[in-house]
Amino acid sequence: MGETKKLLGLALILVGCLGGLGVHGRAFAQDGRPGAPPMERAFGGRMHGRWWDDPKLAQQIGLSADQQKKMDDILQQHRLKLIDLNASLQKQEAIMQPLMEAEQPDEGKILTQIDAIAQARAELEKGNARMLLGIRQVLTPDQWTKLKALRAEKKEEWGRDGRGMRRGPGGPPPAADGSGGPPPQPQME
């Protein structure tokens, strides 16, 4: 009996983590978080969504209109599949909820459902990686190098937390007034 309770407690924690990590919004985001899949980390930084449509960025890496169209086409080709894969994951998570909330949870059913959730999540991640790989393959090696360098510059400029706060000995960036301190906080009225 005690072993079953431990296993069910572990299953609850796992389900909470799976839900908390959620891939739902990540199907199209390339946010560079350490927990992000490798293909998302490869694009990382501040390059969310259709980053190739940014005229300044396109010019900086030498992206042609033809390459931008190819990337748009790749995105569109994968979009419906990713929507379906995301829906499949949400469905598997919805199936899990009543199993976990049951008065007498069925360990076998819960463990089977955890496997179904993990499989749905894996399929979504693979679909997303295929799309990102297709986009990556449109770039020349020189463009890829330039894109990585720009991403590294942005990470240095903005820090990893995205709020402009640098970590480590560098401290926060100078205030807008040039005083070297943190920017002033807005006054509440």
Side-chain angles (χ1 to χ4, degrees):
M1 179 75 173
E3 197 63 32
T4 301
K5 282 187 178 184
K6 285 182 187 176
L7 192 56
L8 287 175
L10 184 59
L12 280 170
I13 292 169
L14 178 61
V15 170
C17 289
L18 290 174
L21 292 174
V23 178
H24 314 301
R26 280 195 0 215
F28 296 105
Q30 299 104 20
D31 60 10
R33 290 175 301 190
M39 283 303 296
E40 286 188 23
R41 283 194 312 265
F43 280 95
R46 304 252 172 263
M47 298 178 195
H48 296 283
R50 298 165 54 119
W51 55 266
W52 55 89
D53 286 339
D54 178 341
K56 182 179 175 185
L57 179 65
Q59 181 186 19
Q60 286 177 306
I61 68 170
L63 206 57
S64 71
D66 183 54
Q67 286 176 305
Q68 288 173 308
K69 178 166 180 0
K70 285 179 183 176
M71 291 176 175
D72 284 339
D73 292 345
I74 290 166
L75 176 64
Q76 189 57 38
Q77 289 168 4
H78 288 85
R79 185 179 237 160
L80 295 177
K81 179 68 173 172
L82 288 171
I83 290 169
D84 289 343
L85 290 170
N86 189 44
S88 177
L89 174 58
Q90 289 180 4
K91 179 180 176 183
Q92 294 305 323
E93 290 174 341
I95 291 169
M96 174 64 95
Q97 186 174 357
L99 295 175
M100 295 301 296
E101 293 174 357
E103 191 70 30
Q104 292 293 320
D106 183 324
E107 180 180 341
K109 287 181 181 177
I110 290 171
L111 294 176
T112 299
Q113 194 57 32
I114 289 171
D115 288 340
I117 290 169
Q119 183 61 41
R121 186 175 311 280
E123 291 302 317
L124 177 58
E125 294 293 355
K126 286 191 286 187
N128 191 45
R130 285 184 191 106
M131 178 191 69
L132 293 173
L133 179 60
I135 290 169
R136 163 66 178 89
Q137 290 174 329
V138 172
L139 299 171
T140 67
D142 184 54
Q143 289 170 328
W144 179 242
T145 300
K146 289 177 182 176
L147 187 63
K148 290 190 303 185
L150 288 170
R151 184 184 75 217
E153 285 176 23
K154 288 294 182 189
K155 280 185 181 180
E156 177 61 29
E157 180 181 325
W158 285 96
R160 279 202 166 291
D161 66 3
R163 297 178 296 176
M165 299 301 288
R166 297 186 200 285
R167 295 184 179 174
D177 65 3
S179 66
Q185 296 297 315
Q187 298 294 320
M188 299 298 283
E189 294 183 25

